[in-house]
Amino acid sequence: MTLLSTRGLSKSFAGLQAVHEVDFDLPKGEVRALIGPNGAGKTTFVGLLCGRIAPSSGQVFFDGRDISHLPAHKRIGLGMAYTFQITSVFGRLSLFENVALAARRRVQGTAAVRAEVMGALAKVGLAGAAERAAGDLSYGHQRLLEIAMGLAQAPRLLILDEPTQGLSDAEITGFKALIRELSATTTILLIEHNMSVVMEVADQVTVLNFGEILAEGTPEEMHANAQVQAAYLGTG
């Protein structure tokens, strides 16, 4: 059953077509990787899905409902959570308080909030740093904190934009394990440049190029696709 879909979704900026008539379907329970060269329209597309960018034309559907004109906070309320390329943590607040801000959208009461916060921080490996100021974290750890903030909302759909950027090899290994764990209960859309991450965790891959879907299929199919190699993988 499809959880998220778009039909004819387009966005132009001052005459430049960033996303052009994209038809996209993400089934419930799938881990989908969205890949493509720089400037392919990936971040714009995600902004359209999340409600941070208004479409020029086309529709976005979530669990069968047309959400094309819902603002971002309304989409969060329906069960969408997302992290973006640029971290949006509150640097002066502790890790605990950053995640608590997200958790309080869903649960009430000190004990319940604390349980959700510490559980989310533990999943991303940051429970031991709960009282540190978020601004003191490395960039990579701020990305992990953002993921914890998303997890605290118990989303039906988790959208991650370049989540492994700035992570060490060991942290990337941990991230892969986290995605495999989350995939049992959460649909995931992953925008990712690290092809080892894509190959290991994605069920299906969508390739964007010049704002349009170039190809879709399994990671192995996309790795072997001559068009994808030419456009993105730098060969062929």
Side-chain angles (χ1 to χ4, degrees):
M1 188 171 178
T2 300
L3 180 63
L4 177 74
S5 62
T6 70
R7 290 294 177 266
L9 192 63
S10 300
K11 181 62 180 182
S12 295
F13 295 101
L16 175 66
Q17 192 88 51
V19 173
H20 183 239
E21 295 190 355
V22 170
D23 293 342
F24 174 81
D25 293 289
L26 178 59
K28 288 181 180 176
E30 186 173 289
V31 178
R32 176 73 61 91
L34 180 66
I35 69 172
N38 290 331
K42 303 185 298 297
T43 296
T44 299
F45 180 63
V46 171
L48 292 167
L49 298 179
C50 297
R52 288 170 65 108
I53 300 173
S56 300
S57 59
Q59 296 169 292
V60 180
F61 298 91
F62 186 71
D63 204 15
R65 175 181 174 180
D66 188 343
I67 62 168
S68 308
H69 299 291
L70 283 184
H73 71 275
K74 294 283 190 182
R75 300 187 195 198
I76 291 171
L78 294 177
M80 297 174 68
Y82 50 84
T83 71
F84 283 88
Q85 278 182 297
I86 301 170
T87 58
S88 57
V89 302
F90 296 95
R92 294 185 179 182
L93 297 182
S94 68
L95 277 63
F96 185 95
E97 276 302 319
N98 268 276
V99 181
L101 288 171
R104 290 186 188 110
R105 293 173 174 161
R106 190 173 60 86
V107 296
Q108 301 296 320
T110 303
V113 169
R114 181 169 184 81
E116 291 293 331
V117 170
M118 296 309 297
L121 286 172
K123 284 182 178 178
V124 301
L126 293 176
E131 298 308 320
R132 285 185 64 186
D136 292 341
L137 295 180
S138 67
Y139 177 78
H141 283 178
Q142 288 187 18
R143 305 310 309 276
L144 293 175
L145 174 58
E146 269 204 322
I147 294 172
M149 293 165 69
L151 296 180
Q153 299 171 51
R156 301 169 65 196
L157 171 65
L158 181 61
I159 301 176
L160 304 172
D161 194 351
E162 303 286 0
T164 65
Q165 189 175 345
L167 299 185
S168 68
D169 289 345
E171 288 165 343
I172 289 173
T173 298
F175 173 79
K176 293 174 184 175
L178 174 63
I179 293 300
R180 285 189 283 267
E181 176 189 346
L182 294 176
S183 66
T185 55
T186 307
T187 305
I188 298 169
L189 178 61
L190 180 69
I191 298 85
E192 184 56 69
H193 276 300
N194 187 320
M195 288 306 295
S196 75
V197 173
V198 171
M199 295 297 291
E200 288 188 39
V201 306
D203 299 312
Q204 295 283 312
V205 178
T206 296
V207 184
L208 272 187
N209 197 30
F210 297 112
E212 299 181 346
I213 292 179
L214 175 66
E216 289 185 311
T218 66
E220 293 76 17
E221 288 169 343
M222 294 303 93
H223 197 263
N225 185 298
Q227 285 183 298
V228 175
Q229 289 177 356
Y232 180 59
L233 301 176
T235 61

